[in-house]
Amino acid sequence: MNLTLKIWRQKNTTSQGKMVEYKVNNISEDMSFLEMMDILNEELIVKGDDPIAFDHDCREGICGMCSLYINGEAHGPDRGITTCQLHMRKFKDGDTIYIEPWRAKAFPVIKDLVVDRTSFERIMASGGFISVNTSGNTQDANNIPIPKDDADEAFDAATCIGCGACVATCKNSSAMLFVSAKVSQLALLPQGKLERERRVLNMVDQMDKEGFGNCTNTGACEVECPKGISLSNIARMNREYLRASLVKKD
Amino acid sequence: MSKAFEMFSSSIGRKFVMSLTGLFLITYLVIHLAINLLSLVDAHLFNEASHFMGTNWFIQAMQYVLALGFIFHIVQGIALARSNAKARPQKYALDKPSTNSSFSSRSMIITGLLVLLFLVLHLRDYFWELKFDDMNGHATDFDLVVALFANPLYTGLYVFSFIMLGIHLNHGFQSAFQSVGVNHPKYTPGIKKFGVIYCVIVSAGFSLIALVHYFNSL
């Protein structure tokens, strides 16, 4: 199939970007979206042009690196997938495809379609961990009894790959789904209970400092999340935050 | 800010404020609708109820709580919308929000501001006239209602505002529960269904009152 692509080009963080039009021909419907981007980049290199920078790593939907806002939707017109799992069969011959980077103040563009998501790292560093001795004498995990329902819910929350689609798709650029998945994953398990209050207060505080917007419960994040992280995690974080605010002593 | 109130300045704390004031206003609307519906039943009954609301000490005290509820909800709502707009300085060239969220959830600030404009008009024509003025020279509260709704443009404006209020409540009702952490596989589907029934009753109920008085005036 032959396609027209409108792609965001931006030299660096400080420069002004713009949408640029490209044509690609003979694209197979069996290709993944990123392979189509590779073909375009090879053509650009042959022509001596600057190839389009975009994030990617595992190309099997587990790392969360590939981003891209495709035709007005995070990870394109399909559900429960990342961009590397999007196939060209979702498009028709002659289509025009808009390809843009994640848009959020907390995700500044580095170059073209690559955005800086280290704001997520700073949120994790503020409380998304448990403090345990890992010097070789850790307890066998199976020694701690955990109800199956809690383990399942914690696992579901832990499937978050931190891709940022929730922020990209939220009309407020809110990071609540991401942060709530990380808070839930640890709050549900006995190992995470020790730092329960500190964790949620610090992570929400860091989230606010990074310049993410506020959640207005539109539910768009849940729909676009490649891992199907549920809004119930945001409700849990709200409860955790309320509880922590009330019980903390300082 | 004092440590005890620190949480209300955070993103989640501000959601609590929106949610709790919203739930309070949701409850208030039920009382308001119930009393207004009396105007369709009997003029005397409506005047009696209106008189009770205007004189009872508890209701008079609650008036100030209600005013605070409105002010907190409106000021916080506008402040949140402003800070949310700043969180995405560069917009998408192509965005399809309708594929993943409802119109009512995305238009809360617009429907909210339209309801606020209506509120100004409503307070001027009813609250002010009943409390501080001569009710436009009418003898009873009922007469004031009938006279105002005799104007088709006025009635149309009211019905439009009630539809906006309905759209606002459609998202607001269920959202208020989610914001305070009430999300449960057993109860949330019921809360959502009840929210839809609630917003239809409020929106249709108030509209019906305006329309019936207009058609009675013909």
Side-chain angles (χ1 to χ4, degrees):
Chain A
M1 59 176 94
N2 300 330
L3 301 162
T4 303
L5 308 174
K6 287 181 187 288
I7 302 176
W8 182 262
R9 300 300 313 254
Q10 185 173 335
K11 227 181 179 79
N12 54 47
T13 306
T14 50
S15 66
Q16 188 80 34
K18 62 174 194 294
M19 299 297 284
V20 178
E21 193 174 299
Y22 298 93
K23 302 265 184 206
V24 281
N25 299 322
N26 301 321
I27 296 296
S28 157
E29 62 176 21
D30 296 327
M31 281 177 187
S32 92
F33 197 85
L34 295 185
E35 284 170 325
M36 183 275 293
M37 294 291 289
D38 292 336
I39 285 181
L40 171 63
N41 270 346
E42 279 170 18
E43 288 173 9
L44 289 176
I45 291 165
V46 168
K47 274 196 263 175
D49 288 346
D50 189 23
I52 297 152
F54 63 92
D55 269 324
H56 61 102
D57 192 2
C58 76
R59 296 211 178 194
E60 55 185 8
I62 54 171
C63 77
M65 269 317 279
C66 58
S67 47
L68 304 189
Y69 212 71
I70 301 161
N71 270 354
E73 289 179 82
H75 294 139
D78 206 349
R79 296 287 174 254
I81 56 155
T82 53
T83 299
C84 61
Q85 295 169 299
L86 175 67
H87 282 82
M88 294 313 294
R89 67 180 76 101
K90 290 283 167 190
F91 301 92
K92 293 193 305 289
D93 183 40
D95 273 0
T96 298
I97 307 174
Y98 281 73
I99 309 168
E100 298 173 77
W102 286 168
R103 294 288 187 203
K105 190 176 151 210
F107 286 168
V109 171
I110 296 171
K111 186 177 193 299
D112 298 336
L113 301 169
V114 178
V115 295
D116 180 357
R117 284 172 278 186
T118 49
S119 46
F120 271 11
E121 308 300 325
R122 288 187 291 273
I123 293 172
M124 289 306 280
S126 72
F129 51 81
I130 54 167
S131 302
V132 289
N133 189 345
T134 54
S135 60
N137 50 4
T138 43
Q139 190 184 7
D140 187 310
N142 289 323
N143 283 344
I144 307 167
I146 299 169
K148 177 80 169 84
D149 288 346
D150 290 357
D152 285 349
E153 276 191 274
F155 187 84
D156 285 347
T159 58
C160 167
I161 50 176
C163 64
C166 46
V167 175
T169 200
C170 174
K171 75 177 186 67
N172 312 319
S173 300
S174 169
M176 290 255 187
L177 194 69
F178 165 76
V179 180
S180 71
K182 301 304 175 191
V183 165
S184 290
Q185 167 197 340
L186 300 171
L188 283 161
L189 300 175
Q191 292 93 331
K193 291 273 194 281
L194 295 177
E195 289 149 307
R196 190 176 168 188
E197 287 92 28
R198 239 189 303 168
R199 175 182 307 114
V200 68
L201 293 172
N202 289 344
M203 288 180 82
V204 169
D205 185 46
Q206 188 62 36
M207 171 180 81
D208 292 349
K209 280 185 192 149
E210 295 291 347
F212 291 104
N214 296 277
C215 173
T216 51
N217 303 324
T218 67
C221 53
E222 180 185 56
V223 177
E224 295 293 347
C225 175
K227 299 297 164 188
I229 304 291
S230 158
L231 277 189
S232 62
N233 289 297
I234 298 184
R236 182 180 295 104
M237 177 169 70
N238 294 344
R239 291 197 296 275
E240 285 287 317
Y241 186 84
L242 180 62
R243 184 186 166 281
S245 298
L246 295 174
V247 302
K248 70 163 181 174
K249 294 198 178 72
D250 54 338
Chain B
M1 194 180 283
S2 145
K3 284 270 179 192
F5 296 101
E6 205 176 51
M7 74 164 179
F8 292 111
S9 61
S10 75
S11 55
I12 296 183
R14 295 165 86 186
K15 277 162 62 109
F16 290 149
V17 174
M18 289 309 285
S19 161
L20 297 175
T21 52
L23 287 170
F24 176 61
L25 298 175
I26 279 170
T27 315
Y28 162 72
L29 278 175
V30 176
I31 302 167
H32 196 335
L33 177 64
I35 290 174
N36 286 19
L37 281 170
L38 292 177
S39 75
L40 298 185
V41 181
D42 179 57
H44 179 67
L45 200 61
F46 174 73
N47 284 332
E48 285 288 308
S50 181
H51 178 72
F52 172 79
M53 296 301 279
T55 50
N56 180 276
W57 69 268
F58 180 71
I59 305 289
Q60 291 306 296
M62 281 306 283
Q63 233 173 48
Y64 295 99
V65 183
L66 180 66
L68 280 178
F70 268 111
I71 290 166
F72 273 108
H73 194 77
I74 293 164
V75 171
Q76 189 72 275
I78 293 171
L80 280 171
R82 282 172 61 96
S83 69
N84 287 344
K86 282 187 201 145
R88 178 165 295 147
Q90 171 83 46
K91 307 287 174 226
Y92 289 108
L94 180 65
D95 201 4
K96 291 180 185 161
S98 60
T99 55
N100 53 37
S101 56
S102 70
F103 172 77
S104 64
S105 74
R106 283 179 277 117
S107 54
M108 290 302 273
I109 185 64
I110 297 163
T111 51
L113 287 174
L114 287 171
V115 172
L116 174 62
L117 287 178
F118 161 78
L119 193 65
V120 174
L121 176 78
H122 183 59
L123 287 176
R124 166 68 194 86
D125 286 349
Y126 284 100
F127 182 77
W128 182 262
E129 285 297 333
L130 292 169
K131 278 249 168 205
F132 307 111
D133 217 333
D134 66 347
M135 305 205 297
N136 293 342
H138 296 290
T140 68
D141 301 0
F142 183 80
D143 294 337
L144 176 68
V145 173
V146 170
L148 283 170
F149 285 129
N151 181 344
L153 198 68
Y154 196 80
T155 305
L157 201 61
Y158 261 59
V159 172
F160 172 76
S161 303
F162 295 141
I163 293 168
M164 291 305 111
L165 178 65
I167 295 171
H168 194 77
L169 290 170
N170 179 43
H171 176 68
F173 190 96
Q174 49 124 342
S175 180
F177 287 89
Q178 165 80 5
S179 287
V180 285
V182 181
N183 183 321
H184 192 281
K186 216 158 57 178
Y187 309 115
T188 299
I191 290 171
K192 285 188 178 171
K193 266 187 212 136
F194 188 78
V196 174
I197 296 169
Y198 169 84
C199 80
V200 170
I201 288 177
V202 168
S203 186
F206 280 117
S207 301
L208 182 75
I209 295 163
L211 289 169
V212 167
H213 285 302
Y214 169 68
F215 284 114
N216 280 344
S217 75
L218 294 178

